[in-house]
Amino acid sequence: MQNNKEGLSCIDIREDDLLVLSAEVLKTLLRDHTTGQNIFWATHDYEALGKEYDYHAQILPEMITGGRGMVIRPRVLKTKERQVNRVKDMAEVFTPAWVCNAQNNLVDEAWFGRKDTFNVESANGKSWKATNGPIQFPKGKTWKDYVRATRMEMACGEGPYLVSRYDTTSGKLIPLEQRIGLLDRKLRVIGENTETSGEWLEMAQEAYKNIYGFEWQGDSLLLARESMLWTFIEYYHAKFSKIPLQKSVNYIAYIISWNIWQMDGLKGVVPESCRNGETIVENDLFGNISKQIFCQGCQQETYKGHNGTYCFIRDWGNKDPKTGENNRKIRFIDLIK
C-alpha cells in the first residue's frame, strides 16, 4: 500500500478504492463464510440494473466497481425516495450519532463503574466532547480486558454503534478524536497503551475479534464492513503516520468478514433460506411421490427448528476440537439460551 492518506476522510468508501488496496481485500469483504459464496443483495433496490442485481444474486466485485462504482452508497447519500422505501420495506432506521454515543456510554458506565469515561455529553445530550488524557481503568481490570470485552450490534446496518466515521443521519464526518463507536473506543485505548507497530497491531486484531454484528441487507452489510476496515487504517495512520502493511489489512478484512455477517436476526439463518411450500419429488417402490416441505420454525414463529441455513461465526478464543486452532466455528443459534 502507498504511504498516503488519500481518501481516508471520505464518507463514501468506494469499492474502487478497495481495489487499489488489493483485489483480495474486496473479495474478502464480500465473502459469506456460512454459504462459502458471497453475500447477496437481499433487497430489491437494484433490480432495475439487471438480473445480476436480483434480490438473491451474489454481490460480485465487477458489479460495484469501475463504471458501476457508484451503485452502493451510504444511506444518507441515497435518494429520499429510496430511503423512504427502505424504511417501509425493511424497517430500516438509522440512529443519530448522539443516540449511539449515549447508549454506548451506558455500556461503558456498567463496565467501568463510572460515568463520562470516554466523553462528556452536552446538557441536551445531542453533542459531546472527548475526555482528555489516557483512560484510567478500575481496580481489577486492565486495558487489555477492555479490548477483549465482547461487543455486538444487532441488525447493524452500516454499523454506527461499532464505528462512527460519520453520522449516518446527517452524513457529517466525525473527527477521529471525537469518535464514539464501540470499536473506536477500543482503538483509542490501544493507541494510548502501545508504543510499537507490532504491539498496536496485535491488540487491534484482538479488538476486531471481539466486535460482532449482523445485518440482513447485503449493501448495508458491505458498507459496515468497509467502514470497519477503513477505521483500522485511519487509527493506524494517526498513530504511526503511515499506512499499515498489506498483510495486516488483509487479516483485519478476514476477521471482519467473519464477525460482521449476513443473517435473519429473528431466525438465525441466512435470509430467505428457509423452505416453505417447496415441492420435491421422491422415489420409492411405488414410483414418484410429490410432497411439500414446510419450515417448522417459521410455522411456529420460534427461533429454533428452521430448515434454512444456520449462520456460523468464529469463536476466536476457543480451540476447534477437530483442528486444534484457536478459531472454532460455531452456529450463532447455539449461543442463544
Side-chain angles (χ1 to χ4, degrees), residues 81 85 110 161 182 217 221 247 258:
E81 180 182 6
N85 289 338
Y161 284 90
L182 296 169
Q217 297 174 122
L221 179 69
K247 64 178 182 180
W258 270 105

Side-chain angles (χ1 to χ4, degrees), residues 194-231:
T194 57
E195 295 295 333
T196 69
S197 174
E199 293 172 335
W200 191 96
L201 288 169
E202 178 183 0
M203 292 311 298
Q205 291 169 8
E206 288 294 302
Y208 275 80
K209 287 178 180 178
N210 287 284
I211 287 287
Y212 294 87
F214 61 81
E215 167 59 27
W216 177 297
Q217 297 174 122
D219 57 347
S220 292
L221 179 69
L222 179 59
L223 288 168
R225 287 177 169 186
E226 291 173 346
S227 193
M228 290 180 68
L229 182 68
W230 230 242
T231 292

Side-chain angles (χ1 to χ4, degrees), residues 60-336:
L60 303 176
E62 59 269 25
M63 298 159 59
I64 54 176
T65 56
R68 297 183 173 185
M70 299 287 284
V71 168
I72 295 181
R73 308 202 75 191
R75 180 181 186 272
V76 71
L77 299 180
K78 292 183 173 76
T79 65
K80 292 297 182 182
E81 180 182 6
R82 180 164 291 182
Q83 290 183 31
V84 170
N85 289 338
R86 301 269 287 212
V87 172
K88 290 180 179 178
D89 296 340
M90 297 298 297
E92 180 182 75
V93 178
F94 279 68
T95 311
W98 67 268
V99 175
C100 297
N101 180 53
Q103 293 181 316
N104 285 352
N105 280 348
L106 291 175
V107 173
D108 282 329
E109 183 179 339
W111 197 91
F112 282 89
R114 66 175 188 268
K115 298 179 66 174
D116 303 332
T117 299
F118 286 89
N119 60 70
V120 179
E121 298 172 47
S122 63
N124 66 6
K126 293 190 176 182
S127 62
W128 64 90
K129 185 176 181 180
T131 54
N132 294 319
I135 302 299
Q136 301 300 311
F137 289 84
K139 185 178 180 180
K141 293 183 177 180
T142 70
W143 70 273
K144 290 185 177 181
D145 293 330
Y146 183 78
V147 170
R148 293 189 173 109
T150 302
R151 301 284 186 265
M152 183 175 73
E153 182 181 357
M154 300 183 293
C156 67
E158 295 174 18
Y161 284 90
L162 303 180
V163 288
S164 57
R165 298 186 64 253
Y166 57 92
D167 188 317
T168 56
T169 58
S170 69
K172 182 179 179 180
L173 281 166
I174 299 176
L176 195 72
E177 63 275 9
Q178 296 295 334
R179 294 187 185 176
I180 52 82
L182 296 169
L183 181 58
D184 291 306
R185 297 170 188 231
K186 290 176 182 286
L187 293 174
R188 172 182 170 176
V189 166
I190 293 170
E192 293 173 349
N193 289 277
T194 57
E195 295 295 333
T196 69
S197 174
E199 293 172 335
W200 191 96
L201 288 169
E202 178 183 0
M203 292 311 298
Q205 291 169 8
E206 288 294 302
Y208 275 80
K209 287 178 180 178
N210 287 284
I211 287 287
Y212 294 87
F214 61 81
E215 167 59 27
W216 177 297
Q217 297 174 122
D219 57 347
S220 292
L221 179 69
L222 179 59
L223 288 168
R225 287 177 169 186
E226 291 173 346
S227 193
M228 290 180 68
L229 182 68
W230 230 242
T231 292
F232 167 76
I233 297 171
E234 288 173 320
Y235 275 91
Y236 185 91
H237 186 275
K239 176 73 173 177
F240 299 106
S241 299
K242 61 182 180 180
I243 302 297
L245 294 176
Q246 187 64 60
K247 64 178 182 180
S248 297
V249 176
N250 288 348
Y251 188 55
I252 291 296
Y254 175 71
I255 296 171
I256 293 170
S257 69
W258 270 105
N259 284 25
I260 311 298
W261 74 100
Q262 190 166 29
M263 185 173 76
D264 178 339
L266 296 178
K267 302 176 183 179
V269 301
V270 173
E272 305 287 358
S273 64
C274 288
R275 295 177 292 168
N276 276 297
E278 177 184 335
T279 301
I280 64 170
V281 178
E282 294 183 343
N283 297 316
D284 62 14
L285 295 176
F286 304 100
N288 296 332
I289 298 177
S290 296
K291 67 177 183 179
Q292 287 186 310
I293 297 176
F294 290 94
C295 176
Q296 182 180 8
C298 291
Q299 289 183 314
Q300 298 178 354
E301 297 184 345
T302 61
Y303 203 67
K304 296 189 177 182
H306 291 276
N307 61 18
T309 304
Y310 277 105
C311 294
F312 284 95
I313 62 172
R314 284 287 191 191
D315 184 2
W316 301 91
N318 289 317
K319 289 186 177 181
D320 188 313
K322 294 182 179 180
T323 66
E325 297 180 357
N326 284 334
N327 54 6
R328 185 167 64 104
K329 185 172 72 171
I330 56 175
R331 297 194 315 172
F332 179 75
I333 185 70
D334 295 331
L335 299 175
I336 307 300

